[in-house]
Amino acid sequence: MAKGRWLGREILEVVSTEFRDRSMEFYRYALESGVTTINGKVAKPDTIIRNGDRIENISHRHEPPVTSTPVRIVHHDKEREFIVIDKPGSIPVHATGRYFRNSLVEILKNDFGFEKVYTVNRLDRLTSGLMILPLNPTLANTLTQEFVNGRVRKEYIARCKGKFPEEEVVCEEPLLTVDRQMGLNIVHPEGKHAKTVFKRIRYDENTDTSVLHCRPLTGRSHQIRVHLQYLGHPIANDPIYSDARIWGEKLGKGGIDITPSEDRSAPQAPSHLQFDAASNPESLSKVHLTQTPPGDGESAARAGDGEAPRTKLLPRETGHDIGMGSPVPLSAEAVGIITRLRNMKDEAEDWGRWRDVVFRAKGKLTPQGYKIPLPPQNKRKRGGPAFATAEVIQGSSSPTPEPMTPDAAEPDTEPPRTNQLTLEDVAKLSITIPPVSENPTPLAESGAATPEAALPDATPISDFSAPEPVITEAASGSDEMQYCPECFVPLHPDPKPESLYIFLHALRYTTSLGCFETEMPEWASEGWEWEP
């Protein structure tokens, strides 16, 4: 369902600002391919989202890698109906973004047979440790009230940078979430009250790090991580709060400047990947014209006079998507931090978003063997695939529609698919396959039925003709960028296991149900070392 912050905005603007895994051009291409529907009808890029809209999307999912460390059941109370688990770092609690099967709720369902668990307390994706999960709604409500009212004693273990003071330290700085995409929180006077008590367990001189006992008395997002950063001792391997390339030499100690600033700049491609105006995958306008302020009626007036409306730049094209979800105006320092965080994420993914051009040589983005749009919800088989078959779309009266399997799909006129595509493969495809455009294809001219022709609400595809992808030195040789032949997403090698988690672990919870704890994490042992 549509979220409140999406209402009154074009769906392309929402998608491109809420998600950054793919290029701006790809998101427009995907929407014009018809894979997204609003209330059962194919959405166009300029469709306005209204209150109560049901937005659905068919996609070929690539889930990010997670640790091979399994989820462990610490305790299962069958009589009182709850479980206590030890969650590894890197696994999100709920399905979110690109994560679905690799989320805790789905793992407990598929691997352990717990059809319904109630996540009354949550851990960050990168945080490991204890979680108490009721199996019935009554207990879930009781335990939720305990967490909300501060009656649960929570104890964590962390490894931070530097020599932390030996005496007990209490931090009570208010915290505020200023960027949802990067998950960035800062100390800010407009934030929510937060209080954490820290006590050093040991200092390891060989790594210049300290192992701490942490006791959060409130439950704010990233509370321990941000409080440690504010004290000048961020978690040693925290990818957000402990990198000098993002925060400078002080690493955010004492907080950052909060003086509001309206300065923004368009995102810049890395130096080894430069684009002209016609080939930049992060620019939809291609010709940079003055942005029309929303709601001023200027475009409509010009259209009424017979003049072509002026191209409107979307927030992501101008850099104004930074701060859109913040409850307070951002300072220039905060904008710079968010920009550098985004660039570092892009660099970690080998600048895949900027090299996201493979789809230009292909046809519409449609999962093989399935038709869109989806059938009405009351025509779908509960618990089964939600894809529509050709019979359902054409109004067949079949009482039990079955999803079309790849074997039963219409003959594929595309070249045989491989496990991966390279840019050299794309260059060949761009010659052998006509570019996507509004012009009739030879197949359509011959009168042959196509999947798109069967869709009454299908949206015409804009002209995507563009120069062939340029193969740069960074994309050649053994490190050449690979692409999925189904959805054209850039593929990346798995990261190092130690980069999938942070040195923060929920060790012990004391509730009305009892006191439960896990073993100390390996990285908290004396003399433990790692490769930064």
Side-chain angles (χ1 to χ4, degrees), residues 214-338:
C214 316
R215 192 157 65 88
L217 302 183
T218 51
R220 309 304 177 203
S221 179
H222 293 189
Q223 177 173 322
I224 295 175
R225 299 165 68 180
V226 180
H227 274 175
L228 282 174
Q229 182 199 42
Y230 184 84
L231 295 172
H233 297 277
I235 290 175
N237 68 338
D238 195 319
I240 296 180
Y241 299 106
S242 68
D243 197 318
R245 293 172 297 175
I246 296 170
W247 298 89
E249 294 182 1
K250 292 177 58 180
L251 290 176
K253 180 178 181 180
I256 64 172
D257 176 53
I258 58 173
T259 305
S261 172
E262 295 297 326
D263 293 340
R264 301 289 189 275
S265 59
Q268 298 296 317
S271 58
H272 66 286
L273 293 174
Q274 294 299 320
F275 305 93
D276 56 30
S279 61
N280 186 350
E282 280 295 285
S283 174
L284 299 183
S285 60
K286 305 305 179 188
V287 178
H288 293 279
L289 299 176
T290 304
Q291 182 175 1
T292 303
D296 68 352
E298 184 179 353
S299 295
R302 283 199 304 270
D305 296 335
E307 181 182 348
R310 180 177 294 182
T311 301
K312 180 180 70 173
L313 298 181
L314 297 183
R316 182 162 142 183
E317 295 180 89
T318 64
H320 284 81
D321 59 323
I322 295 180
M324 287 188 67
S326 174
V328 298
L330 297 183
S331 66
E333 185 175 2
V335 171
I337 289 169
I338 294 171

Side-chain angles (χ1 to χ4, degrees), residues 67-72 86-88 91 107 112:
T67 180
S68 60
T69 303
V71 174
R72 188 170 67 91
D86 186 356
K87 181 187 87 70
I91 297 177
I107 290 172
F112 294 91

